[in-house]
Amino acid sequence: MSEAVDAIIVGAGLAGLVAAMELADAGKRVVMIEQEGEQSLGGQAFWSLGGLFFVDSPEQRRMGIRDSRDLALQDWLGSAQFDRSEDFWPRQVAEAFVDFSAGEMRSWLHQMGMRWFPVVGWAERGGGHAHGHGNSVPRFHLTWGTGPGVLEPFLARVQEHRRKGRIAIRFRHQVSRILRAGGMISGVGGEILEPTAVERGQQSSRSITGAFELLAPVVIVTSGGIGGNFELVRKAWPEDRLGPCPTTMVAGVPHHVDGRMVAITQNAGGAVINADRMWHYTEGVRNWAPIWPAHGIRILPGPSSMWFDACGERLPAPYLPGFDTLGTLRHILATGYDYSWFVLTQSIIKKEFALSGSEQNPDFTSKKWLNVIRSRVLNKRAPEPVEAFKENGSDFIVADTLPELVAGMNALTGDDLIDLDHLTMQIEARDREIANPFSKDAQVTAIRGARQYRGDKLVRTARPHRILDSAHGPLIAVKLHILTRKTLGGLHTNLDSQVLDEHGDPISGLYAAGEVAGFGGGGYHGYNALEGTFLGGCIFSGRNAGRHAAQNL
């Protein structure tokens, strides 16, 4: 039987929650459709580190960072490199988002109760030119409570509306078609899946127990990207731009990030643009305690680890830890291998290694300062999740001497590609530069530059030292995999998050927000992301969709 409501939202992640909140705040009756169980409410955002991109924030000013809307827009456009005719709306959304980030975004979220760690992170530092890719200043604001802390105020509002009957959530409902009647959007139909008791993030059954139809004049698609579906990633992979698709990858998102709603929305008349633009990380490691299939975790590195390709050649600048994600990806894949290595010391891993995700940062997720102080300040080792990977992770090798380390690296791959003498020469050459204040080594210069920023010196950059200094040992090598994560292109939308058809005209009643729409416009990042802009894009595009739909119902 069919049921009629004001609006249907497909996907109960962050973008969907924001859109639902806005509609319900306007007095509309909303049904959210989610193929997972209630334990997965909040979607990918739950697993995130909770970083948000703010411009000229109080946190930045307290850390001595001078930022501005104009500088942020310069960085965004230099990173996006918009070069296609279909980039009109992505660019419009990008400029509006920068205005939002430099304007009301922080105060709006602060009023809802959201707070941030006082040290602002400096992510994605770029390729070396002021007009090119990268953040000129630190802008990565870590939300107190990580991903769950970002979700908390929106979940609270949605749950309040659920109690009042304005929002209903149909879990284990899988949409397979968007309905149209008389040329207008009229609802959705699909399958009811069997109940599931799996824990959040684990792979759930797709066994069907029934069918459903739900009628509404508004459908908002907020179903996420394709990062959990390796087949779709490989299909969309831009080999001409990034190089050959990796043979092996690890998944940075759960299996339900499957991209199935993209084709379903296309069947309803929606256009897709920039499907070849994607954001995958080069610092993935296999999770020693996996939750979803091929579960990988990204290392968020400080600037000091030495980076080598599979054959033991040091990566050139600007392909340094934390600088240029896609440039580094291209360089690695050009070697003919799909993995690389970090070589570092215990002093570096203690100060500089962070693992992406709420579950890998229980101190920040707990919102308890004492836990953070114990983990990050008083602890003589690296934070416990990092030490657990070092001890249990299959990609980590620990040794007291370089010959032992190289033997372990070659044994792990079985290829014997690393030559001890050549690796020793490169590390010793770098080590000699540590005593030289006039170093020509770009990475040594970058380390010293990072420590000029108070935040990096306090929590993210180790004191410069020789890699082969046994006082800073043991030595550590980490095999790094390509980790799938974000879809930068997607359903073509305008600034109001309306889905556009192949002619660029809005489809009345059909909206898309979050990653399925390239976080807005069909790809507001362009070719590169500045970090902290994924959750922010979900919030911004979800809010736009909910508000515009409410005004036009």
Side-chain angles (χ1 to χ4, degrees):
M1 294 181 63
S2 298
E3 177 186 359
V5 294
D6 291 318
I8 300 164
I9 297 174
V10 184
L14 177 59
L17 292 169
V18 176
M21 179 193 77
E22 292 291 343
L23 280 157
D25 283 351
K28 309 303 179 184
R29 186 175 173 220
V30 181
V31 171
M32 304 184 74
I33 305 295
E34 171 56 54
Q35 66 181 352
E36 296 304 307
E38 186 156 9
Q39 66 271 34
S40 292
L41 185 60
Q44 284 178 253
F46 175 88
W47 300 105
S48 74
L49 191 58
L52 291 172
F53 179 96
F54 296 145
V55 177
D56 193 26
S57 69
E59 288 80 14
Q60 287 177 301
R61 293 192 292 271
R62 282 194 289 267
M63 293 302 297
I65 301 164
R66 295 183 179 181
D67 200 5
S68 69
R69 183 263 184 193
D70 289 345
L71 182 61
L73 184 61
Q74 172 182 296
D75 287 347
W76 194 292
L77 296 180
S79 299
Q81 300 167 20
F82 294 123
D83 60 359
R84 298 172 177 173
S85 59
E86 57 265 38
D87 281 332
F88 173 81
W89 281 115
R91 178 167 181 150
Q92 296 298 308
V93 177
E95 292 190 21
F97 179 76
V98 171
D99 290 339
F100 183 54
S101 298
E104 67 171 312
M105 182 181 179
R106 184 191 176 281
S107 60
W108 181 61
L109 296 175
H110 191 276
Q111 288 172 359
M112 293 186 199
M114 211 178 286
R115 299 294 184 269
W116 300 274
F117 187 60
V119 177
V120 182
W122 195 353
E124 202 63 16
R125 303 185 190 203
H129 294 291
H131 64 279
H133 169 54
N135 283 297
S136 296
V137 299
R139 296 190 177 105
F140 190 87
H141 295 69
L142 176 60
T143 303
W144 197 230
T146 64
V150 174
L151 287 168
E152 186 176 349
F154 300 109
L155 284 171
R157 295 276 288 278
V158 167
Q159 299 291 22
E160 180 182 353
H161 284 305
R162 288 180 78 183
R163 289 191 293 271
K164 293 179 178 179
R166 295 194 189 102
I167 294 177
I169 307 180
R170 306 287 169 80
F171 296 102
R172 301 298 285 163
H173 282 54
Q174 178 180 265
V175 172
S176 58
R177 61 194 182 279
I178 295 173
L179 307 178
R180 301 187 71 164
M184 304 291 289
I185 296 297
S186 61
V188 300
E191 300 76 43
I192 301 172
L193 305 178
E194 68 177 1
T196 181
V198 301
E199 295 183 6
R200 180 191 288 270
Q202 291 182 338
Q203 186 168 2
S204 61
S205 164
R206 289 294 179 264
S207 296
I208 297 170
T209 62
F212 76 96
E213 275 193 1
L214 188 61
L215 303 181
V218 166
V219 172
I220 304 177
V221 180
T222 60
S223 54
I226 67 172
N229 187 332
F230 287 176
E231 181 180 349
L232 287 183
V233 170
R234 290 189 171 100
K235 184 178 179 180
W237 189 272
E239 187 167 337
D240 59 333
R241 185 162 47 83
L242 294 182
C245 185
T247 303
T248 59
M249 298 181 284
V250 292
V253 294
H255 80 288
H256 60 76
V257 186
D258 55 16
R260 66 189 309 275
M261 281 304 300
V262 176
I264 291 168
T265 309
Q266 283 181 290
N267 289 338
V272 170
I273 61 172
N274 300 320
D276 64 315
R277 293 177 182 172
M278 51 185 65
W279 192 251
H280 304 309
Y281 292 109
T282 53
E283 311 100 334
V285 291
R286 291 170 289 185
N287 195 338
W288 65 275
I291 299 171
W292 52 79
H295 190 174
I297 295 292
R298 184 200 175 197
I299 295 171
L300 301 173
S304 301
S305 297
M306 295 190 71
W307 206 336
F308 298 91
D309 67 22
C311 296
E313 293 290 342
R314 190 178 179 194
L315 269 59
Y319 310 134
L320 307 174
F323 276 71
D324 184 352
T325 293
L326 292 192
T328 305
L329 177 61
R330 284 192 299 271
H331 182 85
I332 290 170
L333 294 178
T335 67
Y337 297 89
D338 55 16
Y339 69 92
S340 59
W341 294 96
F342 276 163
V343 173
L344 60 150
T345 65
Q346 179 64 28
S347 293
I348 292 173
I349 201 173
K350 178 183 184 301
K351 189 76 173 279
E352 298 193 7
F353 264 35
L355 300 172
S356 182
S358 56
E359 84 283 11
Q360 300 296 335
N361 295 273
D363 50 347
F364 286 117
T365 304
S366 73
K367 292 188 176 183
K368 295 181 179 179
W369 273 106
L370 184 58
N371 289 345
V372 174
I373 293 170
R374 285 172 174 167
S375 176
R376 313 274 168 167
V377 180
L378 300 180
N379 191 1
K380 294 184 179 180
R381 307 199 307 164
E384 287 306 315
V386 176
E387 288 290 343
F389 264 85
K390 191 183 82 174
E391 294 170 9
N392 303 302
S394 58
D395 294 313
F396 285 70
I397 299 165
V398 182
D400 290 325
T401 68
L402 194 57
E404 292 173 314
L405 192 76
V406 169
M409 295 165 73
N410 284 327
L412 179 60
T413 63
D415 292 332
D416 290 332
L417 294 175
I418 308 296
D419 178 78
L420 173 61
D421 291 339
H422 188 57
L423 195 74
T424 301
M425 179 274 292
Q426 294 174 89
I427 296 175
E428 288 180 343
R430 177 266 185 203
D431 280 358
R432 291 187 190 98
E433 299 289 302
I434 292 298
N436 177 12
F438 305 103
S439 173
K440 69 179 180 182
D441 189 283
Q443 185 173 13
V444 172
T445 300
I447 293 167
R448 290 170 177 159
R451 286 177 62 84
Q452 294 300 308
Y453 167 48
R454 192 187 320 154
D456 274 355
K457 186 173 183 178
L458 284 171
V459 300
R460 287 292 286 155
T461 307
R463 185 185 298 274
H465 60 274
R466 292 182 293 111
I467 297 292
L468 297 181
D469 184 349
S470 60
H472 293 275
L475 294 169
I476 303 163
V478 186
K479 184 184 179 185
L480 305 173
H481 304 265
I482 308 305
L483 178 139
T484 65
R485 185 61 68 84
K486 299 297 181 185
T487 309
L488 297 190
L491 295 170
H492 197 187
T493 62
N494 59 20
L495 192 51
D496 295 317
S497 295
Q498 292 177 289
V499 175
L500 309 179
D501 64 19
E502 61 180 1
H503 304 294
D505 298 321
I507 300 173
S508 181
L510 186 58
Y511 296 80
E515 189 175 354
V516 74
F519 302 93
Y524 85 150
H525 291 101
Y527 289 99
N528 293 281
L530 290 176
E531 300 290 9
T533 55
F534 302 120
L535 297 178
C538 289
I539 292 169
F540 184 60
S541 59
R543 189 175 87 149
N544 291 345
R547 290 186 176 184
H548 188 269
Q551 291 169 2
N552 288 274
L553 271 167

